[in-house]
Amino acid sequence: MDDAKTIRVCNRNGRYQLVDDAQDLVDANEFLRSIEVRGLSPHTVRAYADDLVVLYRWLKQCGRQLEELSQTDLLGYMEAQQEDGAHPNSINRRLITCRQLYSFVTGRQMEWGRGLMSPARHYRGRGRD
């Protein structure tokens, strides 16, 4: 079994968390807790958790850390999801979740600058941006 597939969502005492025996997911779980405290519905918290599973699996497969991501990396993340057949709405939601988690963990927005390119704010599908 692919090592990255071990990351999954678990409901512990009514609280959604990411679990993985081999990886520290404290930041992701603190992020989920902050969303829960804001009063978002359990379905919304679960959607965020599912998005984080996709992100952390991709990070693990690429050998990357969340704190070192750039806008250009998001293009690779988006491309991987396209290859997996993800719907454009799902990709958009996952990009937003990724940016929010990055900001939550680092306290800053992803860097922009020379040589950095961002995916469109709202991805409409291949050839539709």
Side-chain angles (χ1 to χ4, degrees):
M1 180 158 123
D2 184 358
D3 226 15
K5 301 288 184 199
T6 62
I7 302 169
R8 63 195 181 283
V9 177
C10 178
N11 187 332
R12 292 186 176 157
N13 301 321
R15 182 170 290 149
Y16 290 110
Q17 295 181 326
L18 271 76
V19 293
D20 180 20
D21 297 334
Q23 188 171 347
D24 179 12
L25 299 168
V26 171
D27 289 335
N29 290 322
E30 287 176 358
F31 176 73
L32 289 173
R33 176 74 176 125
S34 74
I35 289 170
E36 183 183 322
V37 168
R38 286 178 38 210
L40 299 180
S41 80
H43 294 293
T44 302
V45 176
R46 174 63 194 237
Y48 273 96
D50 290 339
D51 292 345
L52 293 176
V53 166
V54 173
L55 173 64
Y56 275 92
R57 285 179 178 173
W58 178 79
L59 287 170
K60 195 171 196 177
Q61 287 173 338
C62 295
R64 304 280 303 192
Q65 296 294 316
L66 177 73
E67 297 84 358
E68 54 187 40
L69 287 182
S70 70
Q71 294 285 357
T72 303
D73 293 321
L74 291 185
L75 292 171
Y77 178 52
M78 191 170 75
E79 184 177 36
Q81 292 176 70
Q82 289 170 342
E83 290 171 1
D84 288 343
H87 190 275
N89 289 342
S90 297
I91 294 171
N92 283 332
R93 192 187 64 242
R94 291 172 185 164
L95 288 170
I96 291 166
T97 301
C98 178
R99 287 181 177 118
Q100 288 177 337
L101 177 65
Y102 180 89
S103 181
F104 179 85
V105 170
T106 66
R108 64 183 191 280
Q109 300 297 315
M110 283 189 194
E111 292 188 31
W112 293 87
R114 185 175 174 89
L116 295 179
M117 185 173 188
S118 172
R121 283 268 184 226
H122 297 286
Y123 172 69
R124 293 182 186 93
R126 195 165 296 232
R128 296 192 181 120
D129 278 342

